[in-house]
């Protein structure tokens, strides 16, 4: 029986800083629909094997301040707990 169907995923919003063959370094600005205050932004590495989806948004210099236009990754709830993010 696959656990895949019962897993809970969360969308993490922010900026992709670095991507390697096996991981992505992500500046987290919020989780799901909640955007954090800038002083709460943190940077974490996520193994690509644990990332369900990755979305890159190409911003021009005038749209950097628009919180609705951010990179995002989708990860399982357990990895958020393991990193102390939930």
């Amino acid at each position: 029986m696959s656990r895949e169907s019962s897993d809970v995923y969360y969308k993490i919003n922010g900026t992709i800083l670095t991507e390697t063959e096996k991981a992505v370094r992500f500046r987290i600005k919020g989780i799901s629909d909640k955007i954090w205050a800038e002083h709460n932004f943190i940077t974490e590495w996520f193994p690509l094997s644990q990332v369900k989806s990755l979305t890159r948004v190409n911003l021009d210099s005038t749209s950097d301040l628009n919180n609705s236009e951010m990179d995002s990754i989708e990860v399982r709830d357990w990895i958020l707990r393991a990193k102390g993010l939930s």
Side-chain angles (χ1 to χ4, degrees):
M1 173 191 254
S2 173
R3 292 177 42 108
E4 189 84 25
S5 60
S6 64
D7 286 337
V8 176
Y9 288 88
Y10 287 93
K11 181 178 177 183
I12 301 176
N13 301 299
T15 305
I16 297 169
L17 300 175
T18 310
E19 189 175 347
T20 69
E21 193 174 300
K22 295 185 179 188
V24 61
R25 185 170 174 232
F26 202 82
R27 179 137 173 97
I28 303 169
K29 297 180 180 180
I31 298 175
S32 297
D33 293 332
K34 185 176 179 184
I35 303 301
W36 300 342
E38 189 170 349
H39 67 274
N40 290 328
F41 294 174
I42 60 171
T43 301
E44 289 282 350
W45 281 96
F46 292 91
L48 288 175
S49 63
Q50 301 303 316
V51 175
K52 181 180 178 185
S53 67
L54 181 146
T55 304
R56 262 184 220 280
V57 177
N58 293 322
L59 299 175
D60 61 29
S61 60
T62 61
S63 60
D64 280 344
L65 299 177
N66 184 348
N67 283 336
S68 66
E69 297 185 33
M70 290 186 274
D71 298 328
S72 65
I73 59 174
E74 203 172 346
V75 297
R76 290 188 179 121
D77 61 340
W78 73 264
I79 200 161
L80 292 181
R81 286 192 312 271
K83 293 180 176 289
L85 298 171
S86 68

